[in-house]
Short mmCIF file of all heavy atoms in Angstrom, two decimals:
data_model
loop_
_atom_site.label_atom_id
_atom_site.label_comp_id
_atom_site.label_asym_id
_atom_site.label_seq_id
_atom_site.Cartn_x
_atom_site.Cartn_y
_atom_site.Cartn_z
N GLY O 80 -34.19 -98.81 -29.99
CA GLY O 80 -34.20 -97.57 -29.21
C GLY O 80 -32.85 -97.39 -28.54
O GLY O 80 -31.81 -97.41 -29.19
N GLY O 81 -32.86 -97.26 -27.22
CA GLY O 81 -31.62 -97.04 -26.49
C GLY O 81 -31.02 -98.30 -25.90
O GLY O 81 -30.01 -98.23 -25.19
N THR O 82 -31.62 -99.46 -26.17
CA THR O 82 -31.11 -100.71 -25.60
C THR O 82 -30.83 -101.74 -26.69
O THR O 82 -31.21 -101.55 -27.85
CB THR O 82 -32.12 -101.32 -24.61
OG1 THR O 82 -33.34 -101.63 -25.32
CG2 THR O 82 -32.43 -100.35 -23.49
N LYS O 83 -30.18 -102.82 -26.29
CA LYS O 83 -29.92 -103.92 -27.21
C LYS O 83 -30.62 -105.18 -26.70
O LYS O 83 -30.58 -105.47 -25.50
CB LYS O 83 -28.42 -104.18 -27.37
CG LYS O 83 -27.75 -103.29 -28.40
CD LYS O 83 -26.35 -103.80 -28.73
CE LYS O 83 -25.77 -103.07 -29.93
NZ LYS O 83 -24.46 -103.64 -30.33
N LYS O 84 -31.25 -105.89 -27.61
CA LYS O 84 -31.91 -107.15 -27.25
C LYS O 84 -31.35 -108.27 -28.12
O LYS O 84 -31.15 -108.09 -29.32
CB LYS O 84 -33.43 -107.05 -27.48
CG LYS O 84 -34.17 -106.13 -26.51
CD LYS O 84 -35.65 -106.09 -26.86
CE LYS O 84 -36.44 -105.19 -25.92
NZ LYS O 84 -36.61 -105.83 -24.60
N LYS O 85 -31.12 -109.40 -27.49
CA LYS O 85 -30.62 -110.55 -28.25
C LYS O 85 -31.77 -111.28 -28.95
O LYS O 85 -32.92 -111.19 -28.55
CB LYS O 85 -29.86 -111.51 -27.32
CG LYS O 85 -28.54 -110.93 -26.83
CD LYS O 85 -27.69 -111.97 -26.13
CE LYS O 85 -26.32 -111.39 -25.76
NZ LYS O 85 -25.45 -112.40 -25.11
N ILE O 86 -31.41 -112.01 -29.99
CA ILE O 86 -32.39 -112.78 -30.75
C ILE O 86 -32.58 -114.16 -30.14
O ILE O 86 -31.60 -114.81 -29.75
CB ILE O 86 -31.95 -112.95 -32.22
CG1 ILE O 86 -31.83 -111.59 -32.91
CG2 ILE O 86 -32.94 -113.84 -32.99
CD1 ILE O 86 -31.22 -111.68 -34.30
N GLN O 87 -33.82 -114.58 -30.05
CA GLN O 87 -34.13 -115.95 -29.64
C GLN O 87 -34.81 -116.64 -30.82
O GLN O 87 -35.89 -116.24 -31.25
CB GLN O 87 -35.07 -115.95 -28.43
CG GLN O 87 -35.46 -117.37 -27.97
CD GLN O 87 -36.44 -117.34 -26.81
OE1 GLN O 87 -36.64 -116.31 -26.17
NE2 GLN O 87 -37.07 -118.47 -26.54
N LEU O 88 -34.15 -117.65 -31.36
CA LEU O 88 -34.71 -118.37 -32.51
C LEU O 88 -35.71 -119.42 -32.07
O LEU O 88 -35.50 -120.13 -31.07
CB LEU O 88 -33.59 -119.08 -33.29
CG LEU O 88 -32.82 -118.29 -34.35
CD1 LEU O 88 -31.84 -119.24 -35.04
CD2 LEU O 88 -33.74 -117.65 -35.38
N VAL O 89 -36.80 -119.52 -32.83
CA VAL O 89 -37.78 -120.59 -32.63
C VAL O 89 -37.89 -121.32 -33.96
O VAL O 89 -38.48 -120.82 -34.92
CB VAL O 89 -39.16 -120.05 -32.21
CG1 VAL O 89 -40.12 -121.21 -31.95
CG2 VAL O 89 -39.04 -119.17 -30.97
N ILE O 90 -37.28 -122.50 -34.04
CA ILE O 90 -37.18 -123.23 -35.30
C ILE O 90 -38.22 -124.35 -35.35
O ILE O 90 -38.30 -125.18 -34.44
CB ILE O 90 -35.77 -123.82 -35.49
CG1 ILE O 90 -34.73 -122.69 -35.48
CG2 ILE O 90 -35.68 -124.61 -36.79
CD1 ILE O 90 -33.29 -123.17 -35.52
N ARG O 91 -39.00 -124.36 -36.43
CA ARG O 91 -40.01 -125.41 -36.62
C ARG O 91 -39.91 -125.97 -38.04
O ARG O 91 -39.67 -125.23 -38.99
CB ARG O 91 -41.41 -124.88 -36.35
CG ARG O 91 -41.66 -124.52 -34.88
CD ARG O 91 -43.13 -124.19 -34.64
NE ARG O 91 -43.38 -123.82 -33.25
CZ ARG O 91 -43.63 -124.69 -32.28
NH1 ARG O 91 -43.62 -125.98 -32.55
NH2 ARG O 91 -43.86 -124.28 -31.04
N ASP O 92 -40.13 -127.27 -38.17
CA ASP O 92 -40.03 -127.98 -39.44
C ASP O 92 -41.41 -128.06 -40.10
O ASP O 92 -42.36 -128.60 -39.53
CB ASP O 92 -39.50 -129.40 -39.18
CG ASP O 92 -39.39 -130.24 -40.44
OD1 ASP O 92 -39.48 -129.68 -41.55
OD2 ASP O 92 -39.19 -131.47 -40.30
N ASN O 93 -41.52 -127.52 -41.32
CA ASN O 93 -42.81 -127.62 -42.04
C ASN O 93 -42.90 -128.88 -42.90
O ASN O 93 -43.89 -129.10 -43.60
CB ASN O 93 -43.09 -126.35 -42.86
CG ASN O 93 -42.09 -126.15 -43.98
OD1 ASN O 93 -41.66 -127.08 -44.66
ND2 ASN O 93 -41.71 -124.90 -44.22
N LYS O 94 -41.83 -129.68 -42.89
CA LYS O 94 -41.81 -130.99 -43.55
C LYS O 94 -42.07 -130.94 -45.06
O LYS O 94 -42.52 -131.91 -45.65
CB LYS O 94 -42.79 -131.94 -42.87
CG LYS O 94 -42.53 -132.12 -41.38
CD LYS O 94 -43.55 -133.03 -40.72
CE LYS O 94 -43.26 -133.16 -39.23
NZ LYS O 94 -44.26 -134.02 -38.55
N THR O 95 -41.79 -129.81 -45.68
CA THR O 95 -42.06 -129.61 -47.11
C THR O 95 -43.52 -129.91 -47.42
O THR O 95 -43.86 -130.50 -48.45
CB THR O 95 -41.13 -130.47 -48.00
OG1 THR O 95 -39.79 -130.41 -47.50
CG2 THR O 95 -41.09 -129.93 -49.43
N SER O 96 -44.39 -129.50 -46.53
CA SER O 96 -45.84 -129.71 -46.67
C SER O 96 -46.54 -128.37 -46.56
O SER O 96 -46.31 -127.63 -45.60
CB SER O 96 -46.35 -130.67 -45.59
OG SER O 96 -47.74 -130.57 -45.43
N ASN O 97 -47.40 -128.07 -47.51
CA ASN O 97 -48.13 -126.79 -47.48
C ASN O 97 -49.03 -126.70 -46.26
O ASN O 97 -49.12 -125.65 -45.61
CB ASN O 97 -48.95 -126.63 -48.75
CG ASN O 97 -48.09 -126.53 -49.99
OD1 ASN O 97 -46.87 -126.36 -49.90
ND2 ASN O 97 -48.70 -126.64 -51.15
#
Side-chain angles (χ1 to χ4, degrees):
T82 62
K83 275 193 170 185
K84 291 179 179 286
K85 291 191 175 182
I86 298 172
Q87 179 183 345
L88 275 183
V89 182
I90 301 174
R91 293 188 181 274
D92 179 13
N93 65 39
K94 303 178 181 179
T95 317
S96 162
N97 295 348

